[in-house]
Amino acid sequence: MASSFDGELPEAVFDPIRLAAVVESGLLDAAPESAFDDLAQLALAITGADKAFFTVADARRSFWKTAVGTDAAAGRENDIRDSPCHLLVGTGRELIAEEAARDPRIKDLAAIGALDIGAWAGYPVLSPTATYWAASASATTPPDPSPPLSARHCGPWPGR
């Protein structure tokens, strides 16, 4: 993968097993739920961020199951090419960018500017069958010098 997003999505984004897990989760296009809002609020409390998302990503978009700190009227999704979440799906690893607008991995993604993202920390979320189907993310504007939420706080998602 190039150091800056080149428009190509990782193969894992299109994995049929992953996509089936996304559908089976029942989270895509689902109404907000307090449990996910609580997770986002926890991310805000831990990181000091001003925005937090729990995102479910299929092959074409990143759907925000929850988006705390954003304008709800602006919608709850963006094209998967615009969001760093495809990188989480592609690598299966966290992605932390202390200065998103300067980080070569994500600086050219439309969501960084559109959502006024200063720092971004995202973590892949596993389905009960250990398939990557979602990502949790927190963002802050301007960049927060404190350490972001660490991977030890995240792990396999408990079954629904």
Side-chain angles (χ1 to χ4, degrees):
M1 182 180 300
S3 62
S4 181
F5 182 60
D6 59 9
E8 295 297 318
L9 294 172
E11 287 182 31
V13 168
F14 304 102
D15 176 38
I17 295 170
R18 188 191 78 79
L19 293 173
V22 169
V23 171
E24 290 171 17
S25 76
L27 298 174
L28 198 61
D29 296 319
E33 294 178 52
S34 62
F36 291 93
D37 292 342
D38 291 348
L39 285 173
Q41 292 293 344
L42 178 61
L44 294 178
I46 291 171
T47 64
D50 63 352
K51 297 177 186 76
F53 305 85
F54 186 92
T55 305
V56 181
D58 66 10
R60 66 180 183 85
R61 65 197 167 124
S62 294
F63 172 75
W64 305 331
K65 178 64 177 157
T66 192
V68 176
T70 64
D71 180 7
R76 295 178 47 213
E77 67 180 56
N78 58 2
D79 187 290
I80 195 163
R81 287 176 169 81
D82 295 341
S83 167
C85 291
H86 68 271
L87 298 171
L88 303 177
V89 171
T91 64
R93 297 188 341 217
E94 74 222 31
L95 190 155
I96 299 169
E98 292 182 23
E99 292 186 55
R102 300 175 109 194
D103 190 298
R105 299 168 295 177
I106 64 173
K107 68 179 183 171
D108 297 326
L109 299 176
I112 300 305
L115 295 171
D116 195 24
I117 302 298
W120 195 85
Y123 303 87
V125 178
L126 296 170
S127 73
T129 59
T131 302
Y132 294 106
W133 50 259
S136 60
S138 61
T140 186
T141 306
D144 184 349
S146 65
L149 178 66
S150 73
R152 76 182 192 297
H153 295 103
C154 301
W157 184 252
R160 294 201 78 196

